[in-house]
Amino acid sequence: MHNSINNSESKRRFLKQCLRGSLASFTLPALAESSAKPHEILELLSRRENKYEESYWEMVKRQFTIPDALIMVNAANLCPSPYFVTEQVLTSQQKLEKDVSFQYRSVFSTEREEALKALADFVGVDKDEMGITRNTTESNNIIVHGLALKKGDEVLLWDQNHPTNGIAWEQQAKRYGFSVKMISVPTAPTSVDDLIQPFADAITPKTRLISFSHISNTSGIALPAKEICALAREKNILSMVDGAQSLGALDLDLKEMGCDFYSSSTHKWLMGPLENGILYVKKDKLTHVYPAVIGAGWNPESNTVDEKLCVLGQRNETTASALGSIVDFHHSIGKPQIEARIKALNAYLKAQVKEKIHAVKFVTPLSAELSGGVTILSMPGKDQTAVFQKLYDVHGIACAPTGGLRLSPHIYNTMADIDKIVEALEEV
């Protein structure tokens, strides 16, 4: 028994060393498009007609520096960026290190304005309604701490909200005396109505806000945001959507969704640079929100989200320089095509697991209508964390032990990657 354990540990150490070696030595794929300039890559991606063929997505994958030894299926937490976006951020940082003058740094103001315009257009809103934050957490907390809720008011929250859209509200409620009501939906919903009705039933005359995650990071359930926001609007109730799992994954139009507030990060499904998030505040709701941070440059007369709510003082402005580039990357492929690809990857994953691994249970609904890009599996009798670790150590598969075994493939994954994942799951 002792020898078998030692042999197992030796094998694991050997595989880790092989994997680390491949990581240390990887270079950009030696393919024609990988040596092209960014605008040439975007043009190539946009004019290719076969966007529903696997060869197209293999070409997309080659725009990322993921080594062959690894398969990234952790988009729900952190995504890699296309190599030219990473290079743009590094170049911007290097230029700043050479010249930190006020004169040079004025370029960041221009780049921020361009990024605000690109992000606003991307989700179908006006530039004045868009702000750049550091992540979803900051965006959520700006609203949590900015709304003037008082004793007697009530906030409805989905019980699957991220802590920054859950615990943050509970702490604020303790401070100011309003109440928080948690809403549960069926663990195995069979229709959209199953997800709407619990919110409709919970509304009272005291309800002032409904705040929910668009897609749960712990179950993969996708709430019908448009319908819930319409429900709130009919009752003169504010609506807030945490879009950490939908920005960049779905073909979003926030005006069509009808929410009053929307938050997200750029480093998840958008595949953008780290330390950036977005905050959308509907134009006629800006006066409802007080700024949480007031610093140099803040203008009390401003009527834009970025200037009124997102002034933070000194920050890493070099990362925002690439926000426009990642938006261009999405547009070159097409927002509808990206959403369709993510759904196709998840549908194929679910079908293969269901067919080949009968011991696995699905936490996430099988229906594409009731889920998004997140698929969570439960493996009865198995230590989920141990499986998560083994998948990485032995098979080079990066996922998450969240709500079970969370797999969130993105456009840098291929159907062949999904096959390898299913084979690995069969083995463990």
Side-chain angles (χ1 to χ4, degrees):
M1 176 70 175
H2 182 68
N3 288 336
S4 65
I5 292 175
N6 286 339
N7 289 337
S8 176
E9 288 300 316
S10 296
K11 180 183 177 184
R12 175 176 290 188
R13 283 195 296 271
F14 173 74
L15 288 166
K16 276 186 174 181
Q17 289 168 357
C18 291
L19 184 58
R20 286 170 181 160
S22 65
L23 281 168
S25 62
F26 84 85
T27 58
L28 286 175
L31 295 161
E33 60 262 31
S34 68
S35 61
K37 295 183 183 300
H39 72 273
E40 295 171 334
I41 292 293
L42 298 179
E43 182 182 352
L44 178 64
L45 291 171
S46 63
R47 60 183 166 84
R48 287 285 289 264
E49 299 298 327
N50 57 340
K51 294 186 178 182
Y52 294 98
E53 295 180 10
E54 196 61 16
S55 61
Y56 178 83
W57 298 106
E58 289 168 356
M59 182 182 71
V60 169
K61 182 176 181 176
R62 291 196 290 270
Q63 308 317 313
F64 297 82
T65 59
I66 304 168
D68 292 340
L70 287 179
I71 298 175
M72 298 285 109
V73 278
N74 192 24
N77 178 253
L78 181 63
C79 286
S81 295
Y83 75 91
F84 57 85
V85 169
T86 303
E87 288 178 355
Q88 186 174 348
V89 172
L90 292 174
T91 299
S92 182
Q93 181 66 43
Q94 288 167 350
K95 287 181 178 179
L96 177 63
E97 295 299 335
K98 293 176 181 178
D99 186 352
V100 297
S101 65
F102 284 105
Q103 289 86 342
Y104 173 71
R105 281 184 288 156
S106 64
V107 69
F108 295 131
S109 297
T110 301
E111 290 176 344
R112 188 178 183 89
E113 286 297 306
E114 292 172 350
L116 284 166
K117 179 68 166 60
L119 290 166
D121 289 345
F122 188 69
V123 294
V125 303
D126 296 335
K127 184 172 78 71
D128 289 352
E129 298 175 303
M130 177 63 62
I132 297 174
T133 62
R134 287 176 294 181
N135 47 43
T136 314
T137 294
E138 184 174 58
S139 297
N140 284 342
N141 275 276
I142 287 172
I143 303 302
V144 170
H145 295 284
L147 290 179
L149 297 171
K150 59 187 185 304
K151 187 174 182 179
D153 292 339
E154 178 182 76
V155 173
L156 303 186
L157 304 177
W158 188 20
D159 62 4
Q160 294 187 37
N161 279 2
H162 190 273
T164 62
N165 195 19
I167 296 174
W169 285 110
E170 292 175 335
Q171 292 302 307
Q172 190 77 343
K174 287 181 181 178
R175 183 179 181 185
Y176 291 104
F178 62 87
S179 61
V180 169
K181 185 187 295 184
M182 291 293 180
I183 310 301
S184 298
V185 300
T187 56
T190 59
S191 69
V192 170
D193 286 341
D194 284 347
L195 303 175
I196 299 172
Q197 200 58 47
F199 287 90
D201 293 342
I203 292 174
T204 73
K206 296 180 180 180
T207 306
R208 299 291 176 263
L209 173 77
I210 300 177
S211 188
F212 59 93
S213 292
H214 196 173
I215 300 170
S216 170
N217 70 313
T218 58
S219 73
I221 291 175
L223 291 183
K226 181 178 179 180
E227 290 80 358
I228 295 175
C229 291
L231 178 70
R233 192 164 55 252
E234 290 167 7
K235 304 287 187 180
N236 199 29
I237 296 168
L238 295 171
S239 58
M240 175 176 170
V241 180
D242 179 328
Q245 306 303 333
S246 60
L247 179 70
L250 302 183
D251 183 8
L252 291 175
D253 184 324
L254 298 187
K255 292 295 186 185
E256 183 181 342
M257 182 188 291
C259 59
D260 294 303
F261 314 112
Y262 182 91
S263 61
S264 194
S265 298
T266 67
H267 59 261
K268 297 184 187 291
W269 298 90
L270 192 66
M271 302 174 289
L274 279 164
E275 203 177 326
N276 289 282
I278 71 165
L279 174 63
Y280 160 73
V281 178
K282 192 177 179 182
K283 190 168 296 185
D284 63 353
K285 300 301 188 297
L286 183 59
T287 56
H288 290 57
V289 187
Y290 291 90
V293 176
I294 294 176
W298 181 74
N299 179 7
E301 304 303 321
S302 174
N303 58 1
T304 75
V305 173
D306 198 58
E307 292 177 347
K308 182 179 179 182
L309 302 178
C310 303
V311 173
L312 191 63
Q314 200 71 265
R315 68 172 89 197
N316 186 0
E317 297 285 5
T318 64
T319 59
S321 66
L323 288 173
S325 294
I326 194 59
V327 169
D328 288 343
F329 183 69
H330 279 257
H331 283 311
S332 67
I333 298 171
K335 290 167 62 179
Q337 286 78 11
I338 290 176
E339 178 178 339
R341 176 63 175 181
I342 291 170
K343 289 183 176 179
L345 288 166
N346 280 273
Y348 184 63
L349 171 63
K350 291 173 183 176
Q352 290 297 297
V353 169
K354 185 179 180 182
E355 177 186 342
K356 297 180 178 180
I357 316 176
H358 301 296
V360 167
K361 307 294 182 184
F362 287 92
V363 177
T364 305
L366 294 176
S367 166
E369 184 183 27
L370 305 175
S371 58
V374 177
T375 294
I376 300 177
L377 309 174
S378 173
M379 306 179 80
K382 293 283 187 180
D383 182 336
Q384 311 290 314
T385 302
V387 172
F388 150 77
Q389 193 63 44
K390 186 175 182 181
L391 285 173
Y392 183 77
D393 290 342
V394 179
H395 301 280
I397 296 169
C399 55
T402 305
L405 196 66
R406 188 179 71 190
L407 303 162
S408 42
H410 207 342
I411 60 171
Y412 42 74
N413 296 119
T414 63
M415 292 299 179
D417 289 339
I418 303 300
D419 288 334
K420 291 177 183 177
I421 291 167
V422 175
E423 289 173 9
L425 288 171
E426 286 183 281
E427 182 177 319
V428 301

